[in-house]
Amino acid sequence: MPSVEIYINGTFYPKEDAKISVYDHGLLYGDGVFEGMRSYSGRIFRLNEHLVRLYESAKAIQLTIPMTQADLGEAAKATLAHNKLVDAYIRLVITRGAGSLGLDPAKTSNPQVIIIVDHIELYPKDKYENGLDIITAATIRNHPAALNPRIKSLNYLNNILARIEGKLAGCSEALMLNHRGEVAECTGDNIFTIRHGSLFTPPIDAGILEGITRNAVIELARSIGMNVIEAAMTRHDIYVADECFLTGSAAEVIPVVKLDGRPIGDGAVGKVTKQLSEAFHRFVRQASA
Ligand code: PMP
């Protein structure tokens, strides 16, 4: 693929020249918000839902995005078209902007609006065929009263620490529990199980990001007549589940076949997981932005 051009505040820069200030509070303090989306056949899947979540995240941290939601949506489409990409990963990043040292957001100006379109491969391809082997991280998900996981902020250290634990255990993903010891989500994906034909996933108040892929999969499952239950879940529920999978814009739908060394179901990728994954891939190509 030829080198991509990055959108920063309305201008396209070659990747090598796409730069922002080292005084930007996005870099200094992780002060900012972001979105990760995918385009299929040139259309951004659930663009509006991603924009709504981005503007809500920004509102929650009192960050004013210096353009309207509609204009940012158009800018995302323009960046995709500019790079002549049709099936891509799109990252929207809004930083607090450059300022003096010190946390005070009032000492910054000019939030930076960055749009990156590129390709992403979260997990090795064979994991989609054979499923992930994951462990439970000792690092719990951020307490909602500390940094609400519903805010998709530039501060991902909580997730990165859990991901490091996973890697040290030889796994490419890790399960994160919440402050109550319940299942929350994985480091960059939401989690689902299937048991006796019903689909289970933790509710939003488990302290998770309300995934856009999660919501799409819930809709799809309901549309094919599945019973979907959003309820608190413990690791026990995963140990005894028939099937398990993760969802995310970058990951799409990826099966999980082992948690903490214990095979889930018969230890192979589940039938319903495959069915939902195929339905998801059909759905994203039909859905318009
Ligand atoms: N949880 C976390 C912590 C995430 O970072 C993400 C996005 N990568 C998700 C869940 C999945 O969200 P979505 O389906 O909206 O990409």
Side-chain angles (χ1 to χ4, degrees), residues 41-269:
S41 314
R43 288 189 306 219
I44 301 174
F45 180 65
R46 303 226 154 158
L47 172 60
N48 199 48
E49 282 87 338
H50 282 282
L51 290 170
V52 167
R53 189 171 67 184
L54 182 74
Y55 279 73
E56 286 180 355
S57 292
K59 188 169 187 190
I61 68 161
Q62 298 246 289
L63 168 61
T64 305
I65 299 176
M67 59 201 289
T68 65
Q69 214 167 288
D71 286 348
L72 184 54
E74 288 309 313
K77 289 182 199 166
T79 308
L80 198 60
H82 181 81
N83 284 287
K84 299 186 173 56
L85 287 172
V86 285
D87 291 321
Y89 177 79
I90 303 137
R91 171 65 57 94
L92 306 176
V93 184
I94 320 290
T95 73
R96 184 75 71 176
S100 49
L101 296 174
L103 296 180
D104 188 356
K107 290 187 177 148
T108 62
S109 57
N110 297 328
Q112 301 292 295
V113 179
I114 302 164
I115 307 173
I116 303 169
V117 293
D118 215 324
H119 291 293
I120 191 166
E121 192 187 300
L122 276 201
Y123 307 110
K125 283 204 175 64
D126 70 286
K127 302 289 181 196
Y128 286 85
E129 299 296 320
N130 305 319
L132 290 168
D133 172 0
I134 68 175
I135 53 128
T136 307
T139 304
I140 64 162
R141 192 73 176 94
N142 280 327
H143 191 298
L147 174 54
N148 197 321
R150 293 187 72 178
I151 301 172
K152 202 162 166 56
S153 86
L154 292 184
N155 199 315
Y156 251 56
L157 262 184
N158 177 224
N159 314 61
I160 292 166
L161 287 173
R163 177 65 71 95
I164 289 171
E165 285 185 52
K167 287 200 79 128
L168 289 173
C171 299
S172 33
E173 204 21 291
L175 175 68
M176 300 185 78
L177 305 179
N178 66 17
H179 58 286
R180 296 191 289 257
E182 300 155 353
V183 170
E185 57 185 339
C186 285
T187 68
D189 303 316
N190 293 113
I191 190 161
F192 286 84
T193 59
I194 292 146
R195 184 163 154 86
H196 302 327
S198 291
L199 187 63
F200 296 85
T201 197
I204 305 308
D205 73 3
I208 61 171
L209 181 75
E210 184 175 358
I212 284 157
T213 319
R214 169 191 184 276
N215 291 351
V217 165
I218 290 174
E219 276 172 42
L220 263 181
R222 288 197 169 126
S223 77
I224 57 170
M226 276 184 87
N227 183 28
V228 182
I229 301 160
E230 292 178 65
M233 199 189 265
T234 65
R235 278 195 295 174
H236 175 82
D237 297 305
I238 302 181
Y239 294 153
V240 301
D242 298 324
E243 302 183 25
C244 180
F245 63 87
L246 312 181
T247 62
S249 298
E252 302 176 300
V253 176
I254 184 155
V256 176
V257 291
K258 226 183 223 186
L259 171 64
D260 302 327
R262 302 167 185 229
I264 297 168
D266 62 4
V269 174

